[in-house]
Amino acid sequence: MRAFIKKGVKSTGGSPGFLLIEFSLVLILMGITLSAGYSFLHSYLRFRQNRQTQQHQDLVLKALQQHFTQYLCLPYPADPKKEDGQEQAFSSQVLLVGLVPYRKLGLPRHVAKDGYHRWMTYSLDEAMAMTLRSSKHIRSVFCKYLYEKGTLDISDGETTSVNALLGSSDSPALVLISHGPKGYGAFTQGGKRIPLSPNCGKCKQKNSAAGSAGSSIPFCYAPEPSDQGLNDDCVRWVTKGHLIQGANIQCFDVLCPPDSAVDLFQK
């Protein structure tokens, strides 16, 4: 009986080396599980942040369209130095790039930021900021805007200038930019921008330098094929034609009056 007990004790026990192997396997399995969980959580958070950025941009663009429809103009950007959401006062020195004027648009403060809680950049064509409400020929003036070269330009991949691509038919009216997860190029306190990383591409560099009055640097929607640097900006832009159409301003009869129109079906 005593021999049986001793034998049983030996059989249920384990050598230190075997226990160490078991413990190591447990740690490895825990590490794999935690790594997979962290990766999943990180991907989920990034998905939520991207979706929130898109939702905020949708709200801002909708508010800008409503403002244009009601007042026949777009608001100037808010001053990045003040962060108060108020439209900048008009002057010859006003910069046409800044923050979303969320108070002017009747939006909450957080909507002017992206899903990463950083300010989005807003810029517009100077001509779209001038109200024409007192004009007796509102439609004719706005329709002519479609055929005037704008001050706002955007590069798009192999297209170095959207203005040049659209020619005399239309031009960009506004641009709205989220500067990505790290916020490189986004406005911060005091009107300064978050410094760019050395690995930022040319496209991202343009979005942190373009838009000031008299600037010839276009904003960038998509990088050129040769631009392999970091480009994580989420850029949305709207043309003058889309704004005018959204305001239900009909241009066909103004640009082609019935009395001077050519019958396209005549033989």
Side-chain angles (χ1 to χ4, degrees), residues 69-142:
T69 301
Q70 183 175 358
Y71 300 107
L72 300 179
C73 68
L74 289 174
Y76 280 100
D79 190 346
K81 296 180 180 180
K82 297 180 180 179
E83 298 185 353
D84 58 0
Q86 298 289 356
E87 181 183 19
Q88 295 185 75
F90 173 79
S91 71
S92 59
Q93 302 298 322
V94 69
L95 296 181
L96 302 182
V97 60
L99 308 182
V100 175
Y102 58 90
R103 293 197 183 279
K104 181 72 174 180
L105 297 173
L107 295 172
R109 178 186 175 93
H110 73 275
V111 174
K113 297 183 178 183
D114 58 18
Y116 305 98
H117 308 292
R118 296 188 181 91
W119 294 110
M120 292 187 286
T121 297
Y122 162 65
S123 185
L124 73 157
D125 184 292
E126 186 176 10
M128 305 307 289
M130 297 184 296
T131 180
L132 298 173
R133 218 168 159 73
S134 59
S135 174
K136 296 181 180 179
H137 307 287
I138 292 176
R139 284 200 304 150
S140 62
V141 174
F142 270 114

Side-chain angles (χ1 to χ4, degrees), residues 44-59:
Y44 175 71
L45 290 176
R46 182 61 57 83
F47 168 77
R48 286 193 59 184
Q49 290 168 327
N50 290 337
R51 185 176 63 178
Q52 188 176 53
T53 295
Q54 185 175 11
Q55 290 173 342
H56 286 189
Q57 288 186 328
D58 288 341
L59 289 172

Side-chain angles (χ1 to χ4, degrees), residues 22-50:
E22 285 186 331
F23 185 68
S24 299
L25 289 175
V26 170
L27 290 178
I28 291 173
L29 291 175
M30 289 180 61
I32 293 174
T33 303
L34 290 175
S35 177
Y38 174 79
S39 178
F40 173 79
L41 179 62
H42 179 75
S43 298
Y44 175 71
L45 290 176
R46 182 61 57 83
F47 168 77
R48 286 193 59 184
Q49 290 168 327
N50 290 337

Side-chain angles (χ1 to χ4, degrees), residues 110-178:
H110 73 275
V111 174
K113 297 183 178 183
D114 58 18
Y116 305 98
H117 308 292
R118 296 188 181 91
W119 294 110
M120 292 187 286
T121 297
Y122 162 65
S123 185
L124 73 157
D125 184 292
E126 186 176 10
M128 305 307 289
M130 297 184 296
T131 180
L132 298 173
R133 218 168 159 73
S134 59
S135 174
K136 296 181 180 179
H137 307 287
I138 292 176
R139 284 200 304 150
S140 62
V141 174
F142 270 114
C143 292
K144 288 180 180 179
Y145 272 179
L146 290 173
Y147 294 90
E148 293 181 359
K149 184 175 179 60
T151 58
L152 184 66
D153 202 0
I154 299 168
S155 62
D156 183 3
E158 296 181 352
T159 302
T160 57
S161 171
V162 171
N163 257 330
L165 178 66
L166 295 175
S168 60
S169 62
D170 203 350
S171 62
L174 66 94
V175 63
L176 183 64
I177 303 174
S178 163

